[in-house]
Amino acid sequence: MINITKIQTALSGLVGFKQPYNPDYAIVDSTNQASSSGYYVTDNPYAKIEYIKDNQDYVDISTTDFNSLLTDIKKSSISSVCNQVFSDYDFIDRTLLFKNASNKIEVETLPTGFVGYRIRATGQKNVAFKISRVLLDFQGTGSFTLLLWNTAKKTAIQSKVITITTDHQEVTLDWVIDNTDTTYKGEYYIGYINNSLTVTPYKRDWNAGNVLSNPTYLHVERVKVPNHLSATLFDLDDVDGLSEDSGLNLDISVYEDYTDFIINNKMIFARAIQIEGIIGCIQLYVSSLRSNSNQSQSAQLYEKLMIELKGTGSESIVKVIGLENQLLGEIASIRTEIGKLKKGLVKQNQVFAYTLR
């Protein structure tokens, strides 16, 4: 799993577009000109700003919209490269905390204060987890606020008002916890403040109903913080074990996640992103809906564009390695470098950042 939105934001200035010397086309804003790697899409003669401008679909496109188009080309290139590099199956585990049958006859008597779970992530690198939903088993009707804290912050990193209307219901959360935020690892606490609520959780004491499952690479335990009544994080010394059930059954998925790895080692992706951007520009010409002064649809230029993309065959006198094959080579090189990083090997005179444990 990779968080494309976070990666696109972090890598937005990695590869850019040079401002053309032609004053009629000098409309690239400073954001799209930025290139921390020194690679520019416009270094390829078929990826000139003039060509992009004249071959996009709208003849009267504004400067703002044209720069949005350039931004979209960069975003698409980033996501395409990352998805090609990390194309393997990334799912590790998914489980409900409670899987066994329970008898909804008796209800719990909970202490006043916070009740819920403590979640600890192991030292495994490049792992994220998602709390996709919560199943709720309560008697009565009413509302409470579900809170998720990380011990790095006093305020909750997620919250949601839960309204109980039946004895069993499902609420979608889709709360993703990965290592791209400042709150990664440490301990997580999820639950609610029990204080004069009009709903009460059912007991899970029938047969094996109270057996709690731990997802791979996570350790989950029931906890309480007596008399804690605020939405700010409590004193960790006040955390105690909880023998009662809170009525919350979390659905947790665990994934391999390389978002932070990509962000902290972004330079090894720069050349591939540049090539993918050039390919995107050439494909724009080929699929252009309107004729223009550069005549991109002419047979001669079309042939040149195809050679640039596909390269020449073995029978050709002049051997040209097409951009598509160059991209495949860069993807392979990135995977090789990632393998070295995983093994702790680094090229001479190169600096790579490891992902947090």
Side-chain angles (χ1 to χ4, degrees):
M1 184 177 76
I2 55 177
N3 189 316
I4 285 297
T5 300
K6 290 182 178 180
I7 292 169
Q8 287 174 333
T9 299
L11 274 60
S12 62
L14 184 63
V15 175
F17 295 84
K18 287 180 180 177
Q19 189 78 280
Y21 293 112
N22 187 337
D24 292 336
Y25 292 87
I27 57 175
V28 183
D29 63 24
S30 58
T31 300
N32 280 316
Q33 290 181 57
S35 174
S36 59
S37 66
Y39 286 110
Y40 294 89
V41 174
T42 44
D43 285 343
N44 184 282
Y46 294 106
K48 293 179 180 180
I49 293 298
E50 292 92 328
Y51 283 11
I52 302 172
K53 177 73 162 51
D54 289 345
N55 285 277
Q56 54 77 40
D57 290 339
Y58 304 106
V59 63
D60 295 322
I61 191 170
S62 68
T63 297
T64 299
D65 288 343
F66 180 70
N67 276 283
S68 294
L69 173 64
L70 296 183
T71 299
D72 288 343
I73 291 173
K74 291 196 299 181
K75 286 183 176 180
S76 178
S77 301
I78 291 167
S79 61
S80 177
V81 168
C82 291
N83 283 321
Q84 288 181 72
V85 171
F86 297 98
S87 59
D88 294 336
Y89 191 62
D90 57 14
F91 175 78
I92 296 174
D93 192 14
R94 179 185 177 185
T95 189
L96 283 167
L97 295 186
F98 299 99
K99 303 175 182 178
N100 300 322
S102 61
N103 195 11
K104 292 187 172 180
I105 300 298
E106 298 181 354
V107 295
E108 299 283 13
T109 301
L110 293 177
T112 299
F114 172 80
V115 292
Y117 303 100
R118 171 167 51 200
I119 303 175
R120 289 175 170 147
T122 69
Q124 184 71 17
K125 292 197 295 184
N126 301 315
V127 168
F129 64 95
K130 180 171 75 171
I131 305 172
S132 57
R133 59 181 180 145
V134 58
L135 303 183
L136 304 140
D137 296 288
F138 287 84
Q139 183 186 79
T141 59
S143 300
F144 59 82
T145 300
L146 185 66
L147 300 162
L148 174 64
W149 286 291
N150 177 271
T151 50
K153 293 182 67 174
K154 294 285 287 183
T155 56
I157 59 174
Q158 296 282 1
S159 66
K160 187 177 184 68
V161 175
I162 304 291
T163 300
I164 303 297
T165 57
T166 65
D167 65 301
H168 178 77
Q169 66 189 74
E170 173 191 44
V171 172
T172 299
L173 299 175
D174 286 335
W175 291 350
V176 176
I177 294 92
D178 60 28
N179 58 0
T180 62
D181 295 317
T182 58
T183 56
Y184 185 60
K185 293 296 178 75
E187 294 181 348
Y188 297 88
Y189 291 87
I190 183 170
Y192 58 91
I193 306 300
N194 181 48
N195 184 31
S196 302
L197 297 181
T198 57
V199 294
T200 309
Y202 286 100
K203 290 185 176 182
R204 294 187 188 274
D205 59 354
W206 187 73
N207 287 347
N210 65 347
V211 175
L212 190 152
S213 300
N214 276 293
T216 304
Y217 299 135
L218 300 178
H219 178 71
V220 184
E221 57 185 313
R222 287 177 280 202
V223 295
K224 63 183 177 183
V225 182
N227 301 315
H228 182 80
L229 304 180
S230 75
T232 57
L233 184 64
F234 33 76
D235 186 338
L236 299 182
D237 288 333
D238 294 335
V239 177
D240 202 356
L242 177 68
S243 58
E244 299 86 359
D245 191 78
S246 63
L248 307 174
N249 191 3
L250 305 178
D251 185 349
I252 301 178
S253 298
V254 183
Y255 302 86
E256 288 186 288
D257 180 69
Y258 290 95
T259 303
D260 182 70
F261 183 95
I262 294 169
I263 292 172
N264 284 286
N265 297 283
K266 58 187 178 183
M267 287 300 175
I268 65 174
F269 295 85
R271 172 60 176 156
I273 292 170
Q274 180 205 30
I275 295 173
E276 185 65 61
I278 296 168
I279 292 173
C281 291
I282 292 177
Q283 289 173 340
L284 183 150
Y285 312 154
V286 173
S287 62
S288 177
L289 299 179
R290 61 186 179 85
S291 179
N292 52 73
S293 59
N294 284 322
Q295 291 295 308
S296 66
Q297 299 300 323
S298 69
Q300 184 179 14
L301 183 53
Y302 182 85
E303 183 179 353
K304 289 181 179 179
L305 293 174
M306 288 300 99
I307 291 175
E308 189 73 8
L309 281 175
K310 307 291 184 181
T312 54
S314 57
E315 70 284 355
S316 177
I317 298 175
V318 178
K319 183 66 175 176
V320 176
I321 300 175
L323 289 167
E324 292 179 352
N325 284 332
Q326 290 182 47
L327 178 61
L328 291 175
E330 285 298 320
I331 297 297
S333 295
I334 293 170
R335 287 176 173 169
T336 299
E337 293 302 330
I338 289 171
K340 292 178 181 179
L341 286 172
K342 287 180 178 179
K343 294 177 182 178
L345 301 176
V346 181
K347 277 187 176 181
Q348 188 177 9
N349 298 325
Q350 285 189 304
V351 178
F352 293 113
Y354 291 86
T355 192
L356 293 173
R357 290 188 67 90

PDB file of all heavy atoms in Angstrom, residues 1-3 7 126 178-181 184 257-266 353-357:
ATOM      1  N   MET A   1       0.846  -1.194   0.000  1.00  0.00           N
ATOM      2  CA  MET A   1       0.000   0.000   0.000  1.00  0.00           C
ATOM      3  C   MET A   1       0.879   1.241   0.000  1.00  0.00           C
ATOM      4  O   MET A   1       1.877   1.310   0.713  1.00  0.00           O
ATOM      5  CB  MET A   1      -0.908   0.008   1.237  1.00  0.00           C
ATOM      6  CG  MET A   1      -1.889   1.179   1.270  1.00  0.00           C
ATOM      7  SD  MET A   1      -3.011   1.137   2.689  1.00  0.00           S
ATOM      8  CE  MET A   1      -1.894   1.685   4.004  1.00  0.00           C
ATOM      9  N   ILE A   2       0.524   2.192  -0.817  1.00  0.00           N
ATOM     10  CA  ILE A   2       1.181   3.490  -0.770  1.00  0.00           C
ATOM     11  C   ILE A   2       0.107   4.561  -0.790  1.00  0.00           C
ATOM     12  O   ILE A   2      -0.946   4.395  -1.415  1.00  0.00           O
ATOM     13  CB  ILE A   2       2.159   3.691  -1.955  1.00  0.00           C
ATOM     14  CG1 ILE A   2       1.457   3.480  -3.304  1.00  0.00           C
ATOM     15  CG2 ILE A   2       3.364   2.778  -1.827  1.00  0.00           C
ATOM     16  CD1 ILE A   2       2.342   3.726  -4.503  1.00  0.00           C
ATOM     17  N   ASN A   3       0.366   5.638  -0.083  1.00  0.00           N
ATOM     18  CA  ASN A   3      -0.574   6.756  -0.047  1.00  0.00           C
ATOM     19  C   ASN A   3      -0.182   7.730  -1.162  1.00  0.00           C
ATOM     20  O   ASN A   3       0.720   8.553  -0.999  1.00  0.00           O
ATOM     21  CB  ASN A   3      -0.533   7.443   1.315  1.00  0.00           C
ATOM     22  CG  ASN A   3      -1.635   8.472   1.488  1.00  0.00           C
ATOM     23  OD1 ASN A   3      -1.911   9.263   0.583  1.00  0.00           O
ATOM     24  ND2 ASN A   3      -2.265   8.481   2.646  1.00  0.00           N
ATOM     25  N   ILE A   7       2.381  11.065  -1.338  1.00  0.00           N
ATOM     26  CA  ILE A   7       3.585  10.955  -2.161  1.00  0.00           C
ATOM     27  C   ILE A   7       3.603  12.052  -3.225  1.00  0.00           C
ATOM     28  O   ILE A   7       4.635  12.693  -3.459  1.00  0.00           O
ATOM     29  CB  ILE A   7       3.657   9.561  -2.811  1.00  0.00           C
ATOM     30  CG1 ILE A   7       3.906   8.497  -1.733  1.00  0.00           C
ATOM     31  CG2 ILE A   7       4.764   9.514  -3.862  1.00  0.00           C
ATOM     32  CD1 ILE A   7       3.741   7.082  -2.224  1.00  0.00           C
ATOM     33  N   ASN A 126       8.017  -0.497   7.532  1.00  0.00           N
ATOM     34  CA  ASN A 126       7.164  -0.353   6.351  1.00  0.00           C
ATOM     35  C   ASN A 126       5.825  -1.076   6.486  1.00  0.00           C
ATOM     36  O   ASN A 126       5.380  -1.781   5.573  1.00  0.00           O
ATOM     37  CB  ASN A 126       7.905  -0.848   5.099  1.00  0.00           C
ATOM     38  CG  ASN A 126       9.186  -0.095   4.844  1.00  0.00           C
ATOM     39  OD1 ASN A 126       9.214   1.126   4.934  1.00  0.00           O
ATOM     40  ND2 ASN A 126      10.255  -0.819   4.560  1.00  0.00           N
ATOM     41  N   ASP A 178      -0.140   5.300   9.361  1.00  0.00           N
ATOM     42  CA  ASP A 178       1.097   4.929   8.686  1.00  0.00           C
ATOM     43  C   ASP A 178       2.237   5.803   9.191  1.00  0.00           C
ATOM     44  O   ASP A 178       2.065   6.609  10.100  1.00  0.00           O
ATOM     45  CB  ASP A 178       0.952   5.020   7.161  1.00  0.00           C
ATOM     46  CG  ASP A 178       0.604   6.438   6.684  1.00  0.00           C
ATOM     47  OD1 ASP A 178       0.972   7.412   7.369  1.00  0.00           O
ATOM     48  OD2 ASP A 178      -0.037   6.559   5.627  1.00  0.00           O
ATOM     49  N   ASN A 179       3.422   5.628   8.591  1.00  0.00           N
ATOM     50  CA  ASN A 179       4.612   6.310   9.112  1.00  0.00           C
ATOM     51  C   ASN A 179       4.937   7.599   8.382  1.00  0.00           C
ATOM     52  O   ASN A 179       6.068   8.050   8.380  1.00  0.00           O
ATOM     53  CB  ASN A 179       5.820   5.368   9.079  1.00  0.00           C
ATOM     54  CG  ASN A 179       6.113   4.844   7.687  1.00  0.00           C
ATOM     55  OD1 ASN A 179       5.416   5.172   6.719  1.00  0.00           O
ATOM     56  ND2 ASN A 179       7.147   4.033   7.572  1.00  0.00           N
ATOM     57  N   THR A 180       3.921   8.215   7.762  1.00  0.00           N
ATOM     58  CA  THR A 180       4.155   9.505   7.106  1.00  0.00           C
ATOM     59  C   THR A 180       3.776  10.672   8.003  1.00  0.00           C
ATOM     60  O   THR A 180       3.963  11.824   7.624  1.00  0.00           O
ATOM     61  CB  THR A 180       3.353   9.605   5.797  1.00  0.00           C
ATOM     62  OG1 THR A 180       1.952   9.534   6.095  1.00  0.00           O
ATOM     63  CG2 THR A 180       3.732   8.491   4.844  1.00  0.00           C
ATOM     64  N   ASP A 181       3.230  10.395   9.160  1.00  0.00           N
ATOM     65  CA  ASP A 181       2.842  11.453  10.080  1.00  0.00           C
ATOM     66  C   ASP A 181       3.784  11.484  11.275  1.00  0.00           C
ATOM     67  O   ASP A 181       4.493  10.512  11.567  1.00  0.00           O
ATOM     68  CB  ASP A 181       1.402  11.248  10.562  1.00  0.00           C
ATOM     69  CG  ASP A 181       0.394  11.376   9.425  1.00  0.00           C
ATOM     70  OD1 ASP A 181       0.547  12.296   8.610  1.00  0.00           O
ATOM     71  OD2 ASP A 181      -0.531  10.551   9.360  1.00  0.00           O
ATOM     72  N   TYR A 184       3.600   8.570  14.233  1.00  0.00           N
ATOM     73  CA  TYR A 184       3.781   7.147  13.957  1.00  0.00           C
ATOM     74  C   TYR A 184       4.431   6.430  15.127  1.00  0.00           C
ATOM     75  O   TYR A 184       5.319   6.952  15.785  1.00  0.00           O
ATOM     76  CB  TYR A 184       4.621   6.970  12.701  1.00  0.00           C
ATOM     77  CG  TYR A 184       4.770   5.532  12.258  1.00  0.00           C
ATOM     78  CD1 TYR A 184       3.652   4.780  11.933  1.00  0.00           C
ATOM     79  CD2 TYR A 184       6.018   4.937  12.177  1.00  0.00           C
ATOM     80  CE1 TYR A 184       3.775   3.472  11.511  1.00  0.00           C
ATOM     81  CE2 TYR A 184       6.156   3.631  11.748  1.00  0.00           C
ATOM     82  CZ  TYR A 184       5.026   2.900  11.416  1.00  0.00           C
ATOM     83  OH  TYR A 184       5.158   1.603  11.006  1.00  0.00           O
ATOM     84  N   ASP A 257       3.520  -0.958   3.754  1.00  0.00           N
ATOM     85  CA  ASP A 257       3.317   0.428   3.327  1.00  0.00           C
ATOM     86  C   ASP A 257       4.677   1.084   3.100  1.00  0.00           C
ATOM     87  O   ASP A 257       5.504   1.147   4.008  1.00  0.00           O
ATOM     88  CB  ASP A 257       2.544   1.211   4.384  1.00  0.00           C
ATOM     89  CG  ASP A 257       2.317   2.652   3.946  1.00  0.00           C
ATOM     90  OD1 ASP A 257       1.542   2.858   3.006  1.00  0.00           O
ATOM     91  OD2 ASP A 257       2.934   3.561   4.534  1.00  0.00           O
ATOM     92  N   TYR A 258       4.884   1.577   1.867  1.00  0.00           N
ATOM     93  CA  TYR A 258       6.172   2.157   1.493  1.00  0.00           C
ATOM     94  C   TYR A 258       6.081   3.660   1.263  1.00  0.00           C
ATOM     95  O   TYR A 258       6.957   4.240   0.616  1.00  0.00           O
ATOM     96  CB  TYR A 258       6.712   1.452   0.247  1.00  0.00           C
ATOM     97  CG  TYR A 258       7.134   0.034   0.529  1.00  0.00           C
ATOM     98  CD1 TYR A 258       6.262  -1.030   0.304  1.00  0.00           C
ATOM     99  CD2 TYR A 258       8.388  -0.254   1.061  1.00  0.00           C
ATOM    100  CE1 TYR A 258       6.640  -2.338   0.583  1.00  0.00           C
ATOM    101  CE2 TYR A 258       8.778  -1.552   1.339  1.00  0.00           C
ATOM    102  CZ  TYR A 258       7.892  -2.592   1.096  1.00  0.00           C
ATOM    103  OH  TYR A 258       8.268  -3.875   1.383  1.00  0.00           O
ATOM    104  N   THR A 259       5.041   4.287   1.770  1.00  0.00           N
ATOM    105  CA  THR A 259       4.866   5.726   1.568  1.00  0.00           C
ATOM    106  C   THR A 259       6.046   6.521   2.125  1.00  0.00           C
ATOM    107  O   THR A 259       6.647   7.346   1.426  1.00  0.00           O
ATOM    108  CB  THR A 259       3.554   6.195   2.219  1.00  0.00           C
ATOM    109  OG1 THR A 259       2.460   5.458   1.669  1.00  0.00           O
ATOM    110  CG2 THR A 259       3.341   7.680   1.985  1.00  0.00           C
ATOM    111  N   ASP A 260       6.383   6.283   3.367  1.00  0.00           N
ATOM    112  CA  ASP A 260       7.487   7.012   3.992  1.00  0.00           C
ATOM    113  C   ASP A 260       8.817   6.679   3.321  1.00  0.00           C
ATOM    114  O   ASP A 260       9.675   7.549   3.145  1.00  0.00           O
ATOM    115  CB  ASP A 260       7.546   6.677   5.487  1.00  0.00           C
ATOM    116  CG  ASP A 260       8.636   7.441   6.211  1.00  0.00           C
ATOM    117  OD1 ASP A 260       8.498   8.660   6.378  1.00  0.00           O
ATOM    118  OD2 ASP A 260       9.646   6.825   6.608  1.00  0.00           O
ATOM    119  N   PHE A 261       8.971   5.421   2.928  1.00  0.00           N
ATOM    120  CA  PHE A 261      10.195   4.996   2.249  1.00  0.00           C
ATOM    121  C   PHE A 261      10.394   5.796   0.966  1.00  0.00           C
ATOM    122  O   PHE A 261      11.497   6.279   0.675  1.00  0.00           O
ATOM    123  CB  PHE A 261      10.099   3.500   1.945  1.00  0.00           C
ATOM    124  CG  PHE A 261      11.334   2.916   1.310  1.00  0.00           C
ATOM    125  CD1 PHE A 261      12.294   2.302   2.081  1.00  0.00           C
ATOM    126  CD2 PHE A 261      11.538   2.999  -0.061  1.00  0.00           C
ATOM    127  CE1 PHE A 261      13.443   1.758   1.501  1.00  0.00           C
ATOM    128  CE2 PHE A 261      12.671   2.475  -0.655  1.00  0.00           C
ATOM    129  CZ  PHE A 261      13.625   1.852   0.131  1.00  0.00           C
ATOM    130  N   ILE A 262       9.334   5.940   0.174  1.00  0.00           N
ATOM    131  CA  ILE A 262       9.425   6.697  -1.082  1.00  0.00           C
ATOM    132  C   ILE A 262       9.758   8.153  -0.811  1.00  0.00           C
ATOM    133  O   ILE A 262      10.628   8.744  -1.456  1.00  0.00           O
ATOM    134  CB  ILE A 262       8.103   6.582  -1.863  1.00  0.00           C
ATOM    135  CG1 ILE A 262       7.868   5.142  -2.317  1.00  0.00           C
ATOM    136  CG2 ILE A 262       8.100   7.532  -3.067  1.00  0.00           C
ATOM    137  CD1 ILE A 262       6.484   4.891  -2.863  1.00  0.00           C
ATOM    138  N   ILE A 263       9.058   8.751   0.145  1.00  0.00           N
ATOM    139  CA  ILE A 263       9.250  10.171   0.447  1.00  0.00           C
ATOM    140  C   ILE A 263      10.687  10.461   0.894  1.00  0.00           C
ATOM    141  O   ILE A 263      11.287  11.454   0.496  1.00  0.00           O
ATOM    142  CB  ILE A 263       8.240  10.630   1.512  1.00  0.00           C
ATOM    143  CG1 ILE A 263       6.818  10.615   0.919  1.00  0.00           C
ATOM    144  CG2 ILE A 263       8.579  12.023   2.046  1.00  0.00           C
ATOM    145  CD1 ILE A 263       5.723  10.864   1.940  1.00  0.00           C
ATOM    146  N   ASN A 264      11.253   9.565   1.693  1.00  0.00           N
ATOM    147  CA  ASN A 264      12.590   9.799   2.232  1.00  0.00           C
ATOM    148  C   ASN A 264      13.710   9.322   1.319  1.00  0.00           C
ATOM    149  O   ASN A 264      14.885   9.542   1.612  1.00  0.00           O
ATOM    150  CB  ASN A 264      12.715   9.147   3.610  1.00  0.00           C
ATOM    151  CG  ASN A 264      12.009   9.938   4.689  1.00  0.00           C
ATOM    152  OD1 ASN A 264      12.479  10.990   5.113  1.00  0.00           O
ATOM    153  ND2 ASN A 264      10.858   9.453   5.125  1.00  0.00           N
ATOM    154  N   ASN A 265      13.360   8.643   0.237  1.00  0.00           N
ATOM    155  CA  ASN A 265      14.355   8.212  -0.749  1.00  0.00           C
ATOM    156  C   ASN A 265      13.926   8.642  -2.151  1.00  0.00           C
ATOM    157  O   ASN A 265      14.147   7.932  -3.130  1.00  0.00           O
ATOM    158  CB  ASN A 265      14.524   6.686  -0.688  1.00  0.00           C
ATOM    159  CG  ASN A 265      15.050   6.211   0.649  1.00  0.00           C
ATOM    160  OD1 ASN A 265      16.232   6.324   0.936  1.00  0.00           O
ATOM    161  ND2 ASN A 265      14.163   5.697   1.478  1.00  0.00           N
ATOM    162  N   LYS A 266      13.355   9.824  -2.245  1.00  0.00           N
ATOM    163  CA  LYS A 266      12.707  10.248  -3.480  1.00  0.00           C
ATOM    164  C   LYS A 266      13.667  10.436  -4.653  1.00  0.00           C
ATOM    165  O   LYS A 266      13.259  10.316  -5.817  1.00  0.00           O
ATOM    166  CB  LYS A 266      11.918  11.536  -3.253  1.00  0.00           C
ATOM    167  CG  LYS A 266      12.736  12.715  -2.747  1.00  0.00           C
ATOM    168  CD  LYS A 266      11.829  13.883  -2.402  1.00  0.00           C
ATOM    169  CE  LYS A 266      12.609  15.060  -1.844  1.00  0.00           C
ATOM    170  NZ  LYS A 266      11.701  16.174  -1.438  1.00  0.00           N
ATOM    171  N   ALA A 353      17.940   7.527   2.932  1.00  0.00           N
ATOM    172  CA  ALA A 353      17.302   7.584   4.243  1.00  0.00           C
ATOM    173  C   ALA A 353      16.481   6.312   4.446  1.00  0.00           C
ATOM    174  O   ALA A 353      15.754   5.894   3.555  1.00  0.00           O
ATOM    175  CB  ALA A 353      16.385   8.800   4.342  1.00  0.00           C
ATOM    176  N   TYR A 354      16.620   5.726   5.626  1.00  0.00           N
ATOM    177  CA  TYR A 354      15.831   4.553   5.944  1.00  0.00           C
ATOM    178  C   TYR A 354      14.489   4.987   6.523  1.00  0.00           C
ATOM    179  O   TYR A 354      14.372   6.012   7.149  1.00  0.00           O
ATOM    180  CB  TYR A 354      16.563   3.662   6.959  1.00  0.00           C
ATOM    181  CG  TYR A 354      17.781   3.003   6.393  1.00  0.00           C
ATOM    182  CD1 TYR A 354      19.001   3.672   6.392  1.00  0.00           C
ATOM    183  CD2 TYR A 354      17.704   1.741   5.843  1.00  0.00           C
ATOM    184  CE1 TYR A 354      20.128   3.060   5.859  1.00  0.00           C
ATOM    185  CE2 TYR A 354      18.825   1.128   5.325  1.00  0.00           C
ATOM    186  CZ  TYR A 354      20.040   1.788   5.329  1.00  0.00           C
ATOM    187  OH  TYR A 354      21.138   1.198   4.807  1.00  0.00           O
ATOM    188  N   THR A 355      13.496   4.132   6.334  1.00  0.00           N
ATOM    189  CA  THR A 355      12.200   4.425   6.925  1.00  0.00           C
ATOM    190  C   THR A 355      12.218   4.161   8.421  1.00  0.00           C
ATOM    191  O   THR A 355      13.033   3.359   8.904  1.00  0.00           O
ATOM    192  CB  THR A 355      11.093   3.589   6.261  1.00  0.00           C
ATOM    193  OG1 THR A 355       9.835   4.089   6.650  1.00  0.00           O
ATOM    194  CG2 THR A 355      11.191   2.141   6.638  1.00  0.00           C
ATOM    195  N   LEU A 356      11.364   4.836   9.172  1.00  0.00           N
ATOM    196  CA  LEU A 356      11.331   4.671  10.614  1.00  0.00           C
ATOM    197  C   LEU A 356      10.864   3.267  10.995  1.00  0.00           C
ATOM    198  O   LEU A 356       9.996   2.695  10.349  1.00  0.00           O
ATOM    199  CB  LEU A 356      10.355   5.691  11.234  1.00  0.00           C
ATOM    200  CG  LEU A 356      10.778   7.149  11.125  1.00  0.00           C
ATOM    201  CD1 LEU A 356       9.632   8.030  11.614  1.00  0.00           C
ATOM    202  CD2 LEU A 356      12.022   7.409  11.953  1.00  0.00           C
ATOM    203  N   ARG A 357      11.384   2.765  12.066  1.00  0.00           N
ATOM    204  CA  ARG A 357      10.913   1.478  12.593  1.00  0.00           C
ATOM    205  C   ARG A 357       9.730   1.739  13.499  1.00  0.00           C
ATOM    206  O   ARG A 357       9.552   2.784  14.033  1.00  0.00           O
ATOM    207  CB  ARG A 357      12.017   0.783  13.359  1.00  0.00           C
ATOM    208  CG  ARG A 357      13.148   0.286  12.463  1.00  0.00           C
ATOM    209  CD  ARG A 357      14.123  -0.560  13.236  1.00  0.00           C
ATOM    210  NE  ARG A 357      13.521  -1.810  13.664  1.00  0.00           N
ATOM    211  CZ  ARG A 357      13.537  -2.932  12.965  1.00  0.00           C
ATOM    212  NH1 ARG A 357      14.097  -2.955  11.781  1.00  0.00           N
ATOM    213  NH2 ARG A 357      12.976  -4.032  13.423  1.00  0.00           N
TER     214      ARG A 357
END
